[in-house]
């Protein structure tokens, strides 16, 4: 369709783009920045800008290359970049008509932003919006417009995640944190050509697949701290629940005075919420192992809600660590414990060890740090040290709970179950932390460890009768069967590199 020299040059095997003609339709901020970035490359590419205005003011803002009408720019080019508003696609395609025949059209537009409630519902259910279900991304709509006009052209979705600001920055060399350009399309030749353009402009390339992947590609640019919204929502619910409990237990029914209510409630709530989030970080790993054992395979998908839970464990763990910091600060503001009880003396010791282990694990959770670990190092930090945090936190909470029970029995006023500051929340957390530790212990000893390892190596085991195995419902959403539920820091799912 296009006659361009695609031979191999001497620059690391990169294919040459000598003689390629590119037209950028649109002289706005994005179109100008795109043409300027492409024009700065030394690949022998001819770049022109297309404008709907008959005359460009030479005294206006500077443009990086010559400006032609849309019709002239398209006729003289091999690759057409649509850098104008999506609403104008239909009119422009109709006006250009057969001039687009045989061209490679690059769509850089993005879909409309979906509301947060809608996106949260889609995340929890792992469903897509109506436009995505129907495959109606901007790129597919453009493809259908071309088919309607009987125009044979290759549509490639690319550069939609690259901002005009990023285009205006100097090119970075490979391996220095360059932005990644997502590319999708149905023509392999057209995608390869656009990929070479992207690399020439100084971007890494991520191939998303066919043009039907462009819906998710367009939606990806609207992502905002993915996983954090759900994790923070869970933290907020836990905070409200524990604060309500503290208010009832330590104020309405207990002997707590108003003067110490703010500091006491803050100390208890931050500790309980941090421990609760820690449980939610490590509990799904053993549950997933038992789930796979009951199914006899690791290739069947988890339910959507459980798959989402597995993917936000890193956010839950980091939020737990962040909330534990003010808890530790508040706990350290007083003097050392004066009660002559072993539980009162050991509680701060176990708490300090838990925080130290937690600090090590959280410091290693960034993609930059964990990318340098071997798999054995990674597993040691995020599994063994991680469960060390759980164990020391469990011991810390047990000591606090024992101290509260002793206070209750020694209290002169025992008419209320909350007298003596008996922490029912501590008992609740002991149960959850103990359950998480026990389940992990069970799946870590023979023969359970061997069975889990074989199943995660994609061997099918029939350990239970058929009627006892968990069945997979058709509504279950697909999740990655290769995701190790013990992996608390899914580095492979990190976001694209930033400028």
């Amino acid at each position: 369709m296009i006659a361009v020299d695609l031979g191999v040059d001497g620059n690391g095997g990169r294919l040459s783009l000598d003689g390629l003609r590119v037209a950028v339709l649109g002289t706005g901020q994005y179109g100008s920045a795109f043409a300027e970035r492409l024009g700065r490359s030394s690949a022998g590419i001819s770049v022109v800008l297309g404008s709907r205005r008959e005359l460009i003011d030479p005294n206006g803002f500077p443009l990086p290359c010559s400006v032609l009408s849309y019709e002239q720019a398209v006729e003289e080019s091999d690759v057409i970049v649509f850098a104008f508003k999506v609403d104008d696609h239909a009119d422009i395609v109709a006006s250009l008509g057969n001039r687009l025949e045989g061209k490679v059209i690059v769509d850089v537009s993005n879909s409309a932003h979906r509301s947060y409630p809608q996106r949260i519902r889609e995340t929890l259910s792992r469903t897509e919006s109506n436009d995505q279900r129907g495959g109606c991304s901007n790129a597919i709509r453009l493809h259908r417009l071309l088919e309607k006009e009987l125009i044979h052209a290759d549509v490639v979705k690319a550069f939609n995640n690259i901002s005009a600001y990023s285009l205006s920055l100097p090119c970075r060399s490979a391996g220095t944190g360059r932005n990644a350009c997502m590319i999708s399309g149905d023509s392999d030749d057209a995608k390869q050509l656009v990929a070479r353009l992207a690399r020439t402009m100084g971007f890494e390339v991520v191939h998303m697949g066919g043009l039907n992947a462009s819906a998710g590609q367009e939606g990806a640019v609207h992502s905002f701290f993915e996983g954090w919204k759900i994790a923070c929502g869970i933290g907020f619910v836990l905070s409200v629940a524990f604060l309500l409990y503290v208010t009832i237990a330590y104020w309405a029914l207990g002997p707590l005075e108003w003067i110490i209510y703010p500091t006491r409630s803050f100390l208890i709530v931050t500790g309980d919420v941090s421990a609760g989030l820690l449980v939610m970080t490590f509990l799904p790993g053993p549950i997933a192992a038992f789930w796979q054992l009951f199914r006899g395979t690791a290739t069947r998908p988890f339910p959507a809600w459980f798959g989402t839970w597995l993917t936000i464990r890193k956010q839950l763990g980091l939020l737990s660590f962040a909330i534990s910091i003010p808890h530790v600060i508040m706990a350290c503001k007083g003097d050392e414990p004066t009660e002559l009880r072993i539980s009162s003396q050991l509680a701060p010791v176990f708490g300090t060890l838990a925080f130290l282990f937690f600090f090590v694990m959280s410091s290693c959770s960034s993609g930059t740090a964990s990318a340098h670990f071997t798999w054995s190092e990674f597993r040691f930090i995020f599994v063994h040290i991680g469960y060390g945090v759980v164990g020391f936190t469990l011991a810390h909470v047990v000591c606090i709970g024992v101290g509260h029970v002793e206070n209750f029995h020694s209290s002169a006023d025992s008419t209320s179950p909350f007298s003596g500051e008996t922490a029912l929340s501590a008992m609740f957390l002991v149960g959850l932390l103990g359950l998480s530790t026990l389940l992990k212990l069970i799946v870590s000893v023979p023969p359970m460890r061997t069975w889990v390892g074989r199943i995660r190596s994609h061997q099918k085991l029939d350990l239970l009768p058929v009627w006892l195995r968990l069945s997979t419902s058709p509504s279950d959403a697909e999740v990655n069967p290769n995701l190790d539920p013990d992996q608390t820091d899914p580095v492979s799912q990190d976001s694209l590199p930033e400028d």
Side-chain angles (χ1 to χ4, degrees), residues 21-343:
R21 300 170 298 175
V22 179
V24 182
L25 303 187
T27 55
Q29 183 180 11
Y30 192 93
S32 300
F34 190 98
E36 182 178 5
R37 179 70 170 255
L38 187 56
R40 288 201 304 263
S41 65
S42 57
I45 302 174
S46 174
V47 186
V48 296
L49 274 167
S51 173
R52 281 175 284 186
R53 288 179 288 178
E54 296 182 359
L55 180 64
I56 298 295
D57 183 6
N59 297 322
F61 58 90
L63 295 174
C65 58
S66 59
V67 181
L68 305 175
S69 66
Y70 277 6
E71 291 76 13
Q72 291 176 308
V74 169
E75 287 178 350
E76 298 180 5
S77 301
D78 307 300
V79 178
I80 317 297
V81 180
F82 277 20
F84 48 83
K85 293 181 179 180
V86 177
D87 296 339
D88 296 334
H89 277 187
D91 293 337
I92 299 301
V93 168
S95 64
L96 293 176
N98 291 331
R99 295 183 180 89
L100 297 172
E101 185 73 26
K103 309 292 185 179
V104 174
I105 300 177
V106 181
D107 176 32
V108 301
S109 65
N110 283 309
S111 58
H113 179 58
R114 304 193 306 279
S115 64
Y116 289 143
Q118 181 181 2
R119 293 177 63 199
I120 291 176
R121 287 195 300 270
E122 293 171 4
T123 301
L124 289 174
S125 61
R126 292 187 178 271
T127 59
E128 300 179 1
S129 64
N130 291 332
D131 279 353
Q132 289 174 315
R133 281 197 297 269
C136 294
S137 65
N138 293 337
I140 292 183
R141 291 191 188 97
L142 177 59
H143 179 71
R144 292 173 180 174
L145 284 173
L146 294 170
E147 288 183 335
K148 183 179 179 181
E149 299 291 335
L150 301 179
I151 300 172
H152 300 285
D154 294 324
V155 177
V156 177
K157 187 73 184 184
F159 300 102
N160 66 297
N161 65 311
I162 307 295
S163 66
Y165 173 76
S166 297
L167 288 170
S168 65
L169 296 176
C171 297
R172 294 184 178 184
S173 58
T176 57
R178 302 194 299 182
N179 259 359
C181 173
M182 298 186 291
I183 295 178
S184 62
D186 293 333
S187 171
D188 290 337
D189 292 339
K191 284 194 296 183
Q192 290 298 328
L193 178 60
V194 176
R196 296 180 196 121
L197 278 177
R199 294 190 182 97
T200 299
M201 297 170 67
F203 300 111
E204 301 293 345
V205 174
V206 178
H207 290 279
M208 305 299 293
L211 199 60
N212 57 353
S214 60
Q217 187 176 333
E218 292 176 4
V221 300
H222 298 301
S223 62
F224 183 79
F225 295 107
E226 290 303 314
W228 282 102
K229 294 187 291 292
I230 299 177
C232 291
I234 293 173
F236 177 78
V237 171
L238 289 177
S239 300
V240 172
F242 283 120
L243 181 61
L244 182 62
Y245 162 75
V246 169
T247 303
I248 296 174
Y250 293 90
W251 173 54
L253 301 178
L256 192 64
E257 299 179 0
W258 265 105
I259 193 65
I260 62 175
Y261 172 77
T263 55
R264 183 66 177 173
S265 61
F266 185 83
L267 175 66
I268 296 171
V269 169
T270 52
D272 289 350
V273 172
S274 178
L277 291 172
L278 182 65
V279 170
M280 298 194 68
T281 302
F282 288 93
L283 185 58
I287 292 177
F290 278 103
W291 198 301
Q292 292 169 340
L293 284 173
F294 274 103
R295 286 182 167 178
T297 178
T299 59
R300 294 181 182 176
F302 295 114
W305 63 270
F306 190 69
T308 301
W309 187 5
L310 287 171
T311 59
I312 64 171
R313 287 175 298 164
K314 177 178 179 178
Q315 290 84 347
L316 290 170
L318 289 176
L319 184 60
S320 174
F321 175 71
I323 295 176
S324 71
I325 295 176
H327 175 75
V328 172
I329 294 174
M330 291 295 295
C332 293
K333 74 177 183 64
D335 297 329
E336 62 183 48
T338 57
E339 296 88 346
L340 299 179
R341 291 193 298 263
I342 187 65
S343 60

Side-chain angles (χ1 to χ4, degrees), residues 388-417:
V389 178
V390 175
F392 283 124
T393 303
L394 174 61
H396 174 69
V397 177
V398 166
C399 290
I400 292 177
V402 170
H404 287 163
V405 171
E406 292 175 349
N407 285 338
F408 168 71
H409 287 297
S410 63
S411 176
D413 179 17
S414 59
T415 59
S416 169

